[in-house]
Amino acid sequence: MRRFPAVDEAIASTALALMTLIPLVEIALRPLHGKGIANAALLVQHLGLAVAMFGAVLAERGGHLSTLGSGLAGSHSPWLKRAARLIANGGAAVLTGMLGAASWSFVASEMEGGRELAYGIPVWAVQALMPAGFVILGIRLGSRCAPRHVARLLLGLALAGTGFALALRFDGSPLPLAPFAFGLVLVLLAGAPIFAILGGLALALFWAEGQPLASVPLSHYQITVNPSLPALPLFTLAGLVFARSGAAGRLGTLFTASFGGGPTGTVIAAALLCSFFTAFTGGSGVTILALGGLLLPLLKDAGFPERKGISLVTSASALGVLLAPSVPLIMYAIIARVPIHSMFLAGILPALVMVAFLLVVGGYLRPAAKLAGAPDQPRANLRQARAAAWAARWEILAPVLAIGSLISGLATPTESAALTAAYAILTQAVAHRELDWALLRRCLADCAQVIGGVMVILGMALGLTNYLVDAGIPDAAVEWVQAALPNKFAFLVALNAFLFLAGALMEIYAAIVVLVPLLLPVALSYGIDPVHFGVIFLAVMEMGFLCPPAGMNIFFASAMFARPVKEIAISVLPALLAIFLGALTISWLPWLATGLPELFGK
């Protein structure tokens, strides 16, 4: 391990640490002095831009930028594999260079405004991180096309520079869409990162209309500095701290003691624990890596079949999306302009319904029930459960702090997330002494990497969405769907089927940004509550984690348990059916989603 972090890691991690500290200082200063840090909220939001851009660079360095699978680069032919990688990385480098030029045009226009962020810092100085980040990304992607260091750097500079120069030269000039679209399809099939494809498509559409390309980075900037968005990296940081420490073991002991150590109790405990952990870590893949090594031996010791146990951990890790403070739940609230605390409350009952469907309809309780009669299986023990609850008291209180501070109105979403992140760090470092500086640094870097990879997708997806909205696509969709599906319940069935296909093909975050603005007006035209629609959307999207090519859970499980991807994919088929039926149930019973928000007046 390096003694000192690389520049991208240092910038992203420092920005993330400041995003945690500034809201805490603000909370402390307000009652003492009547005011806190000048423009604290804006400072935190713009630090999010630093996390997004340099976290994306960090994700590229680690090979973690999301794609729609390896595409042609996964071919068995060495020649085709090599050609596909050259096309994917080279094409992505050129596209990213174009995004860098478009971002520079946006920053140049902002320089004329002379706006200040705080303490004399001009806004454009922070916005300049966008062209810098995209250019660095383009150079790094292009450098993957050459084998040697000098050639790598020169080729990266050439490819990114070509894209940069082309975008500056033809900005505002109408260009034909067809050749650009053909090139994008080729680069997509070769396995290029999703953000480059979405960004390239947005640029192509604006180019075809002769509109300024700065509209795309403007969308990226707008979503990155959204007032509620800092909650995403901060809640993710809290979850990663818990995942990297001994919290998983303590919670596993608590759940096992509460439900018993037999097959049935262990299965229920595993499903609930995976869902809870995914809600906090922000990624079901992280849950598989954090809990897989713990839960599979417990399931096997209880007599549960190994293949079924792998299937349970893989599928149950997808179910935490509906539980607070999951990143997709917050993301939907931001895009749909629904109060975050309403979505937090709305997801509780549907999440339990989804777990119940997974266990019963997915068939995980059946083999457990056959083994539950074994005389040597431990049962639920109240004394052991109390002792385990005391040992895990700090972890149990984390969601209470996160949700309680937000619903009570004592903290904004950003302040609530900062409190939760600081709470996780302090409890694991001081109370349990399991978090040292090296591990904290790793958590900060991993969080920046996850959020950077997500945010660069969201920004490009929003640029594409804004074009579609300006083109009147949502209005046309409302008219077409109402003519084709006059019945509300027929629409709900069609919606579930469509979202299932979308979840298999798209990253969940890109799907939220692209599809919600298009589908929400259609749902509203049928009288569907936006909170209810959000729960349906996320419930169906949970299936996407289990379907290739975008279903990352099966790839994480394959790596974690050393099993072929095909075997994992086949093992989760019953879970897919169970989740689909659970989503249909939630669709037909809106009170499951709207009941708690209405009860608490949220």
Side-chain angles (χ1 to χ4, degrees):
M1 187 175 181
R2 298 182 312 275
R3 186 173 179 181
F4 299 104
V7 174
D8 51 3
E9 180 182 335
I11 293 175
S13 298
T14 301
L16 187 55
L18 289 173
M19 289 177 71
T20 307
L21 291 173
I22 289 175
L24 299 179
V25 174
E26 178 77 3
I27 292 172
L29 289 180
R30 275 202 305 258
L32 295 176
H33 301 286
K35 64 177 182 178
I37 299 172
N39 288 337
L42 283 176
L43 284 171
V44 172
Q45 291 162 31
H46 283 76
L47 284 168
L49 183 60
V51 174
M53 295 312 305
F54 284 90
V57 175
L58 188 57
E60 193 285 330
R61 180 154 60 86
H64 296 132
L65 286 177
S66 296
T67 67
L68 290 181
S70 58
L72 297 175
S75 169
H76 294 295
S77 167
W79 179 87
L80 185 58
K81 181 184 296 187
R82 173 67 177 163
R85 287 177 178 169
L86 288 173
I87 293 172
N89 291 319
V94 173
L95 291 170
T96 308
M98 291 178 176
L99 292 169
S103 300
W104 175 248
S105 298
F106 167 68
V107 174
S109 67
E110 288 290 316
M111 287 180 181
E112 300 173 1
R115 291 187 300 147
E116 284 192 2
L117 187 60
Y119 303 106
I121 303 172
V123 173
W124 68 262
V126 182
Q127 293 171 338
L129 294 173
M130 283 195 297
F134 280 125
V135 168
I136 294 171
L137 264 177
I139 293 171
R140 294 193 65 90
L141 286 164
S143 69
R144 291 182 178 269
C145 297
R148 296 181 181 177
H149 291 293
V150 176
R152 286 165 62 92
L153 177 60
L154 292 176
L155 188 56
L157 285 168
L159 290 170
T162 298
F164 196 96
L166 286 173
L168 285 183
R169 170 65 180 82
F170 295 104
D171 192 0
S173 303
L175 294 178
L177 179 61
F180 209 147
F182 175 79
L184 285 173
V185 171
L186 181 62
V187 174
L188 172 66
L189 293 177
I194 293 173
F195 88 88
I197 304 301
L198 291 173
L201 181 56
L203 289 175
L205 292 170
F206 281 106
W207 234 326
E209 299 288 335
Q211 298 183 30
L213 300 183
S215 300
V216 179
L218 171 62
S219 299
H220 181 55
Y221 172 70
Q222 287 175 335
I223 194 170
T224 305
V225 300
N226 183 288
S228 299
L229 206 74
L232 299 185
L234 295 176
F235 277 129
T236 303
L237 175 61
L240 287 173
V241 168
F242 285 130
R244 298 286 189 267
S245 62
R250 287 185 289 275
L251 289 171
T253 301
L254 170 61
F255 277 75
T256 302
S258 301
F259 293 95
T264 300
T266 306
V267 165
I268 296 173
L272 291 174
L273 183 57
C274 286
S275 301
F276 176 86
F277 236 73
T278 295
F280 251 99
T281 59
S284 54
V286 176
T287 300
I288 293 172
L289 297 178
L291 297 180
L294 168 73
L295 291 178
L296 186 60
L298 288 177
L299 289 164
K300 290 169 62 178
D301 290 345
F304 201 69
E306 181 180 31
R307 181 172 176 176
K308 202 75 172 175
I310 293 173
S311 173
L312 173 64
V313 173
T314 304
S315 53
S317 295
L319 298 185
V321 168
L322 290 171
L323 286 173
S326 101
V327 173
L329 199 65
I330 299 172
M331 198 69 247
Y332 173 81
I334 293 170
I335 297 299
R337 299 180 182 178
V338 174
I340 291 178
H341 45 271
S342 295
M343 291 306 301
F344 279 7
L345 290 170
I348 296 174
L349 292 179
L352 295 176
V353 169
M354 297 297 279
V355 171
F357 266 84
L358 176 69
L359 293 176
V360 177
V361 180
Y364 294 102
L365 287 180
R366 285 199 293 273
K370 294 177 183 178
L371 296 167
D376 59 342
Q377 300 296 344
R379 298 181 179 276
N381 187 302
L382 182 59
R383 180 180 298 177
Q384 292 179 1
R386 281 201 302 263
W390 178 251
R393 61 192 180 279
W394 302 115
E395 289 78 18
I396 296 171
L397 290 174
V400 177
L401 174 67
I403 301 172
S405 61
L406 189 56
I407 293 177
S408 65
L410 295 176
T412 65
T414 298
E415 291 171 347
S416 172
L419 281 170
T420 307
Y423 175 87
I425 292 170
L426 288 174
T427 55
Q428 303 308 299
V430 178
H432 292 298
R433 300 178 182 274
E434 294 172 346
L435 184 70
D436 56 18
W437 284 111
L439 185 55
L440 178 58
R441 173 189 151 187
R442 200 174 93 197
C443 290
L444 287 167
D446 288 349
C447 179
Q449 192 172 149
V450 169
I451 294 301
V454 168
M455 287 307 305
V456 76
I457 292 173
L458 294 183
M460 299 303 98
L462 186 60
L464 176 60
T465 299
N466 286 341
Y467 175 86
L468 297 176
V469 171
D470 291 341
I473 302 300
D475 295 334
V478 169
E479 295 178 7
W480 183 85
V481 173
Q482 285 187 332
L485 299 169
N487 184 281
K488 174 182 176 180
F489 293 102
F491 167 72
L492 287 173
V493 173
L495 175 67
N496 278 261
F498 172 77
L499 290 177
F500 168 65
L501 294 175
L505 296 173
M506 297 179 71
E507 175 96 10
I508 185 171
Y509 304 106
I512 292 171
V513 177
V514 173
L515 297 180
V516 167
L518 301 179
L519 295 178
L520 183 56
V522 183
L524 293 175
S525 71
Y526 283 93
I528 298 172
D529 187 278
V531 170
H532 182 211
F533 173 78
V535 171
I536 297 171
F537 189 99
L538 295 175
V540 182
M541 278 290 151
E542 289 177 334
M543 289 189 292
F545 288 115
L546 306 176
C547 294
M552 295 308 296
N553 275 28
I554 59 176
F555 299 110
F556 277 107
S558 175
M560 179 68 198
F561 302 116
R563 293 289 188 277
V565 170
K566 182 179 179 181
E567 179 182 324
I568 302 291
I570 293 173
S571 73
V572 299
L573 288 177
L576 282 173
L577 175 63
I579 294 173
F580 187 74
L581 293 177
L584 283 177
T585 301
I586 294 167
S587 302
W588 290 329
L589 300 175
W591 58 267
L592 287 171
T594 60
L596 287 179
E598 290 174 355
L599 179 64
F600 288 93
K602 301 293 183 181

